[in-house]
PDB file of all heavy atoms in Angstrom:
ATOM      1  N   ILE A 258     -35.696  10.156  88.690  1.00 98.00           N
ATOM      2  CA  ILE A 258     -36.930   9.919  88.001  1.00 98.00           C
ATOM      3  C   ILE A 258     -37.113  10.480  86.684  1.00 98.00           C
ATOM      4  O   ILE A 258     -37.525  10.015  85.703  1.00 98.00           O
ATOM      5  CB  ILE A 258     -38.165  10.260  88.977  1.00 98.00           C
ATOM      6  CG1 ILE A 258     -38.091   9.704  90.337  1.00 98.00           C
ATOM      7  CG2 ILE A 258     -39.517  10.107  88.246  1.00 98.00           C
ATOM      8  CD1 ILE A 258     -38.135   8.085  90.316  1.00 98.00           C
ATOM      9  N   ALA A 259     -36.582  11.767  86.663  1.00 98.00           N
ATOM     10  CA  ALA A 259     -36.678  12.553  85.402  1.00 98.00           C
ATOM     11  C   ALA A 259     -35.757  11.831  84.313  1.00 98.00           C
ATOM     12  O   ALA A 259     -36.095  11.850  83.166  1.00 98.00           O
ATOM     13  CB  ALA A 259     -36.058  13.923  85.607  1.00 98.00           C
ATOM     14  N   GLY A 260     -34.685  11.287  84.743  1.00 98.00           N
ATOM     15  CA  GLY A 260     -33.795  10.560  83.877  1.00 98.00           C
ATOM     16  C   GLY A 260     -34.411   9.358  83.327  1.00 98.00           C
ATOM     17  O   GLY A 260     -34.237   8.977  82.064  1.00 98.00           O
ATOM     18  N   SER A 261     -35.180   8.566  84.159  1.00 98.00           N
ATOM     19  CA  SER A 261     -35.950   7.483  83.612  1.00 98.00           C
ATOM     20  C   SER A 261     -36.961   7.886  82.585  1.00 98.00           C
ATOM     21  O   SER A 261     -37.162   7.170  81.633  1.00 98.00           O
ATOM     22  CB  SER A 261     -36.671   6.668  84.663  1.00 98.00           C
ATOM     23  OG  SER A 261     -37.648   7.364  85.233  1.00 98.00           O
ATOM     24  N   VAL A 262     -37.597   8.986  82.776  1.00 98.00           N
ATOM     25  CA  VAL A 262     -38.523   9.444  81.634  1.00 98.00           C
ATOM     26  C   VAL A 262     -37.792   9.837  80.488  1.00 98.00           C
ATOM     27  O   VAL A 262     -38.331   9.557  79.369  1.00 98.00           O
ATOM     28  CB  VAL A 262     -39.408  10.614  82.377  1.00 98.00           C
ATOM     29  CG1 VAL A 262     -40.155  11.279  81.314  1.00 98.00           C
ATOM     30  CG2 VAL A 262     -40.258  10.228  83.520  1.00 98.00           C
ATOM     31  N   GLU A 263     -36.697  10.491  80.655  1.00 98.00           N
ATOM     32  CA  GLU A 263     -35.935  10.743  79.441  1.00 98.00           C
ATOM     33  C   GLU A 263     -35.580   9.617  78.582  1.00 98.00           C
ATOM     34  O   GLU A 263     -35.283   9.591  77.398  1.00 98.00           O
ATOM     35  CB  GLU A 263     -34.676  11.681  79.785  1.00 98.00           C
ATOM     36  CG  GLU A 263     -35.036  13.071  80.367  1.00 98.00           C
ATOM     37  CD  GLU A 263     -33.796  13.756  80.772  1.00 98.00           C
ATOM     38  OE1 GLU A 263     -32.571  13.112  80.858  1.00 98.00           O
ATOM     39  OE2 GLU A 263     -33.879  14.882  81.195  1.00 98.00           O
ATOM     40  N   ARG A 264     -35.213   8.501  79.391  1.00 98.00           N
ATOM     41  CA  ARG A 264     -34.993   7.173  78.656  1.00 98.00           C
ATOM     42  C   ARG A 264     -36.055   6.404  78.174  1.00 98.00           C
ATOM     43  O   ARG A 264     -36.034   5.384  77.604  1.00 98.00           O
ATOM     44  CB  ARG A 264     -34.127   6.327  79.715  1.00 98.00           C
ATOM     45  CG  ARG A 264     -32.714   7.048  80.060  1.00 98.00           C
ATOM     46  CD  ARG A 264     -32.107   6.391  81.305  1.00 98.00           C
ATOM     47  NE  ARG A 264     -31.729   4.905  81.048  1.00 98.00           N
ATOM     48  CZ  ARG A 264     -31.349   4.202  82.028  1.00 98.00           C
ATOM     49  NH1 ARG A 264     -31.316   4.594  83.206  1.00 98.00           N
ATOM     50  NH2 ARG A 264     -31.247   2.857  81.747  1.00 98.00           N
ATOM     51  N   GLY A 265     -37.315   6.861  78.476  1.00 98.00           N
ATOM     52  CA  GLY A 265     -38.494   6.320  77.900  1.00 98.00           C
ATOM     53  C   GLY A 265     -39.588   5.628  78.825  1.00 98.00           C
ATOM     54  O   GLY A 265     -40.448   4.919  78.443  1.00 98.00           O
ATOM     55  N   THR A 266     -39.326   5.724  80.184  1.00 98.00           N
ATOM     56  CA  THR A 266     -40.327   5.028  81.105  1.00 98.00           C
ATOM     57  C   THR A 266     -41.509   5.866  81.237  1.00 98.00           C
ATOM     58  O   THR A 266     -41.768   7.030  81.368  1.00 98.00           O
ATOM     59  CB  THR A 266     -39.668   4.910  82.494  1.00 98.00           C
ATOM     60  OG1 THR A 266     -38.454   4.079  82.347  1.00 98.00           O
ATOM     61  CG2 THR A 266     -40.518   4.243  83.427  1.00 98.00           C
ATOM     62  N   ALA A 267     -42.656   4.974  81.120  1.00 98.00           N
ATOM     63  CA  ALA A 267     -44.040   5.466  81.455  1.00 98.00           C
ATOM     64  C   ALA A 267     -44.367   5.053  82.857  1.00 98.00           C
ATOM     65  O   ALA A 267     -44.411   3.897  83.082  1.00 98.00           O
ATOM     66  CB  ALA A 267     -45.063   4.999  80.473  1.00 98.00           C
ATOM     67  N   TRP A 268     -44.584   5.920  83.838  1.00 98.00           N
ATOM     68  CA  TRP A 268     -44.886   5.650  85.200  1.00 98.00           C
ATOM     69  C   TRP A 268     -46.350   5.630  85.324  1.00 98.00           C
ATOM     70  O   TRP A 268     -47.157   6.747  85.098  1.00 98.00           O
ATOM     71  CB  TRP A 268     -44.335   6.621  86.164  1.00 98.00           C
ATOM     72  CG  TRP A 268     -42.840   6.548  86.202  1.00 98.00           C
ATOM     73  CD1 TRP A 268     -42.016   7.264  85.433  1.00 98.00           C
ATOM     74  CD2 TRP A 268     -41.910   5.847  87.106  1.00 98.00           C
ATOM     75  NE1 TRP A 268     -40.654   6.918  85.785  1.00 98.00           N
ATOM     76  CE2 TRP A 268     -40.591   6.074  86.793  1.00 98.00           C
ATOM     77  CE3 TRP A 268     -42.298   4.948  88.188  1.00 98.00           C
ATOM     78  CZ2 TRP A 268     -39.627   5.468  87.537  1.00 98.00           C
ATOM     79  CZ3 TRP A 268     -41.159   4.416  88.832  1.00 98.00           C
ATOM     80  CH2 TRP A 268     -39.977   4.725  88.644  1.00 98.00           C
ATOM     81  N   VAL A 269     -46.979   4.479  85.716  1.00 99.00           N
ATOM     82  CA  VAL A 269     -48.594   4.314  85.451  1.00 99.00           C
ATOM     83  C   VAL A 269     -49.222   3.956  86.924  1.00 99.00           C
ATOM     84  O   VAL A 269     -48.730   2.998  87.555  1.00 99.00           O
ATOM     85  CB  VAL A 269     -48.962   3.357  84.510  1.00 99.00           C
ATOM     86  CG1 VAL A 269     -50.448   3.338  84.195  1.00 99.00           C
ATOM     87  CG2 VAL A 269     -48.270   3.577  83.109  1.00 99.00           C
ATOM     88  N   GLY A 270     -50.325   4.616  87.160  1.00 98.00           N
ATOM     89  CA  GLY A 270     -51.067   4.125  88.406  1.00 98.00           C
ATOM     90  C   GLY A 270     -52.070   5.385  88.763  1.00 98.00           C
ATOM     91  O   GLY A 270     -52.201   6.193  88.119  1.00 98.00           O
TER      92      GLY A 270
END
Side-chain angles (χ1 to χ4, degrees):
I258 302 301
S261 72
V262 171
E263 290 174 2
R264 293 166 62 191
T266 299
W268 295 85
V269 188

